[in-house]
Every structure is written in structure tokens, then in C-alpha cells.
Amino acid sequence: MSTPVNSMSFNEIVTSQVPRLLQTEGSVQAEDAEEIGQDILHRAQWFRSIPDEDRKTLAAAFYEESFDHRPLNSSGWTKAFVTVVVRNSKLENAHSSGQISDVEIKQLTTMMAPSLEVFLSTKDEIQSNSTDAEYFYGLRRKYPRAWSALEGAHRLFVIGGGQIEYRYAASPSPTLEDFEIVDNIESQTKSKNKKLQTYVFNAIDERVDTAMYDQLVRAAEDPLIFGVTALSRFSRNSEKQFRIIEFLIAHECDILTSNMLITPKRVFVRSGALVKPVSNDPIACMFDLRGVGGVHKKKRAGWVELVTM
């Protein structure tokens, strides 16, 4: 996958280079490739239309999985923004169907990082429509617990870790009825640990699989420590991801990732160097106690002990 010339704008890259590369390097049909390019451009436009602080709150859920991505000279936040705008777009449809590989996705996101950084720093000449604005700001309104927790996480990533208390306005919690279930999906087992079987399908699908739904039922009945390597394991669809986080916080559950602990009142982020999430070996990520202490260390060690008994 060749890198476009530096003089090309972000608009030109997503409307011409991206569709061409998806067809030549992958096996994406022309019409689908053009749709993916337009979706990336549309997402970039509405992402540019919101304040930088809100961008970081939305991207905080993906920061720990993207901080070491290429290009190496791009900031951690640029890489997280690329994840939100590019990786979490309709590109996932081609990925989940096998038309484009992980390697090709990495090449594509690496290529687009510099131009997206420039695009986001310029004046928004094309305003997003009201539907997009409602979608984005609707997340803050509908899921105040999740928004406040991720807002705290983004502030901790900025300062290099620690802990912070977060508060939110009183709001009804999502219920189990708010989750649409998909049955009998073709899935792949991604965990080496039999107690941690996870089943993967299209990461931007709005529905939850039966394995996730069963865990949500358990969480509603009895607060638990919900361990995932990264919040993207919940979903790359921000609406669905926020709904799950909101549900878990509302039911007094703790959410543990490779570098974060989200409790109903506080957020903790590993200090110093972050640990790279490894989807098929979460124990390795969770067992690393560097840069964690106190409640965070205790919860992490307790989760490891629970799943390795």
C-alpha cells in the first residue's frame, strides 16, 4: 500500500486514494470502497466540528490501544483520533468480512494520520448536519456516567496517569431491554483462557452477542469486576460502547482494562509507560502491576486471581 504524496489533502485521500487502495490491496468492491471513503470523510467533518476536549473524551476509550501505533512521530491523541475517525468507520465492515486484513488496516491508518491531524487543526468550513451533532452530543446527554468517566480518563492520559473522581447528573440507567441481541453468529474465539472466552463479530454492529448479554445479566444481578483488554472490546460503535459502560457503572460494577480501572465514582489510569492490550491474552495485560497502586492494584490482582483459580 503506497503512501500518497504529502501535497494531497485529507479530502482527496479519502475520496480517491482510500477507495483505490481498498480495491487494489484488499478485495473491496468499488461501490463499497467509495462508501467507506465517504463515511471516513463524514466522520472527520463532524469530529472536527466539536471542541478538542470532547474529541479527547470520545477518543479516550481507544487511547490505550493506539498509543504505540505508527507513525511514531504522531502524538498519542492523533493516533486515538485516527482510531475514532478511520478505524471505527465502515472500514470495519470490510475487515469483519475478510475483504481487508489487519496489516492493511494498519497501513491505511498510518498513511492517514498526518493528513487527519492537519484536517482537524483547520477551520471547519463544512458544518456537520444536525443529525450528526445530535448523535455526538446525544452521547453526553444519554450516557452521563460513561461520558464523565471517559472525560476523567482523558484527563489522566494527558497528565500521565493517576486517579480522579468524576461526577454526573442523576439519570436513568439503560436496561437490559435496551440491548438488542444477535443469536447464532459466526464467531471466533479470541482468548487463550477458557474462563475468558470472547466471541467476535462486526465491531460496529449495534447489537450484542449472547455471550455479552449473559454477562450484562450477571452484572445486573450482582456487581462484578468486568475485565476487558480495552474498551474497544465492548464495541467500536460509540453509541453501543457508551451504553454498555453506562449500564455497568449504573449497576455498581468496576471496569478493568489493560491500563484503566473505572469504578462508579473514580477512574484510575496506569502511571508511566502504558501496557499494550493483547486481545487473546488478557491475563498478561492485567497481571502487569507496574504503575498501579492502592485500589487499582488490589482490584487488578483480585481479578487475576478470580479468573486463574
Side-chain angles (χ1 to χ4, degrees):
M1 184 175 286
S2 59
T3 303
V5 294
N6 294 332
S7 60
M8 292 188 71
S9 69
F10 183 80
N11 297 54
E12 291 172 324
I13 291 173
V14 296
T15 57
S16 63
Q17 288 288 88
V18 169
R20 183 180 67 80
L21 293 170
L22 289 173
Q23 294 173 75
T24 57
E25 300 294 331
S27 57
V28 184
Q29 296 299 308
E31 183 177 353
D32 294 333
E34 291 177 5
E35 182 181 13
I36 290 171
Q38 287 297 321
D39 185 51
I40 293 173
L41 177 59
H42 198 49
R43 292 172 67 85
Q45 288 170 348
W46 56 243
F47 200 65
R48 183 170 63 174
S49 72
I50 68 173
D52 184 64
E53 291 293 292
D54 290 350
R55 294 177 193 165
K56 289 178 179 175
T57 294
L58 287 157
F62 307 98
Y63 189 92
E64 65 180 328
E65 73 176 53
S66 60
F67 69 91
D68 67 341
H69 286 182
R70 293 180 181 274
L72 298 179
N73 61 345
S74 289
S75 73
W77 286 111
T78 293
K79 297 169 187 178
F81 294 164
V82 170
T83 302
V84 174
V85 172
V86 181
R87 177 63 184 89
N88 299 353
S89 72
K90 290 183 179 179
L91 182 66
E92 171 60 15
N93 293 335
H95 177 250
S96 63
S97 62
Q99 297 175 72
I100 186 169
S101 69
D102 289 341
V103 171
E104 290 156 352
I105 283 181
K106 289 177 182 178
Q107 292 174 328
L108 185 62
T109 54
T110 299
M111 177 190 77
M112 298 184 71
S115 60
L116 179 62
E117 184 173 25
V118 173
F119 182 85
L120 294 177
S121 67
T122 57
K123 183 180 179 181
D124 187 5
E125 297 176 354
I126 305 174
Q127 295 294 329
S128 299
N129 63 43
S130 59
T131 301
D132 293 325
E134 173 61 22
Y135 167 76
F136 233 3
Y137 288 105
L139 296 179
R140 183 202 294 267
R141 186 189 71 252
K142 290 192 290 185
Y143 310 115
R145 299 169 181 85
W147 184 276
S148 296
L150 289 175
E151 187 174 44
H154 113 235
R155 298 189 186 285
L156 292 176
F157 281 126
V158 167
I159 66 175
Q163 60 176 291
I164 190 170
E165 184 176 357
Y166 67 94
R167 298 178 181 178
Y168 48 84
S171 175
S173 165
T175 67
L176 291 170
E177 287 71 28
D178 293 320
F179 295 93
E180 182 182 356
I181 310 171
V182 55
D183 292 307
N184 302 319
I185 61 171
E186 293 185 5
S187 56
Q188 296 179 338
T189 301
K190 303 291 285 186
S191 175
K192 294 179 180 179
N193 188 300
K194 292 183 178 180
K195 291 185 178 180
L196 298 173
Q197 298 298 321
T198 56
Y199 301 93
V200 178
F201 64 113
N202 189 318
I204 61 173
D205 195 307
E206 296 181 353
R207 302 166 297 178
V208 297
D209 61 22
T210 52
M212 171 62 76
Y213 186 77
D214 289 344
Q215 293 182 75
L216 293 174
V217 171
R218 288 180 53 212
E221 294 172 347
D222 185 28
L224 49 79
I225 301 177
F226 206 107
V228 287
T229 53
L231 293 177
S232 61
R233 300 308 90 191
F234 287 154
S235 183
R236 292 189 178 279
N237 178 311
S238 291
E239 173 85 26
K240 174 181 170 183
Q241 183 190 74
F242 269 65
R243 187 184 301 125
I244 291 173
I245 295 171
E246 184 81 5
F247 182 90
L248 293 174
I249 293 174
H251 287 86
E252 300 295 315
C253 295
D254 297 323
I255 303 170
L256 190 65
T257 75
S258 297
N259 297 282
M260 290 189 289
L261 169 65
I262 299 175
T263 75
K265 293 182 179 180
R266 302 189 75 83
V267 179
F268 302 75
V269 168
R270 185 188 303 271
S271 298
L274 298 178
V275 171
K276 180 67 176 179
V278 181
S279 296
N280 67 347
D281 192 10
I283 297 297
C285 307
M286 303 298 189
F287 192 70
D288 193 327
L289 300 179
R290 292 173 297 175
V292 301
V295 172
H296 191 177
K297 183 176 182 179
K298 183 178 179 180
K299 296 275 188 180
R300 190 170 293 275
W303 186 87
V304 170
E305 181 179 1
L306 178 66
V307 301
T308 55
M309 288 178 57

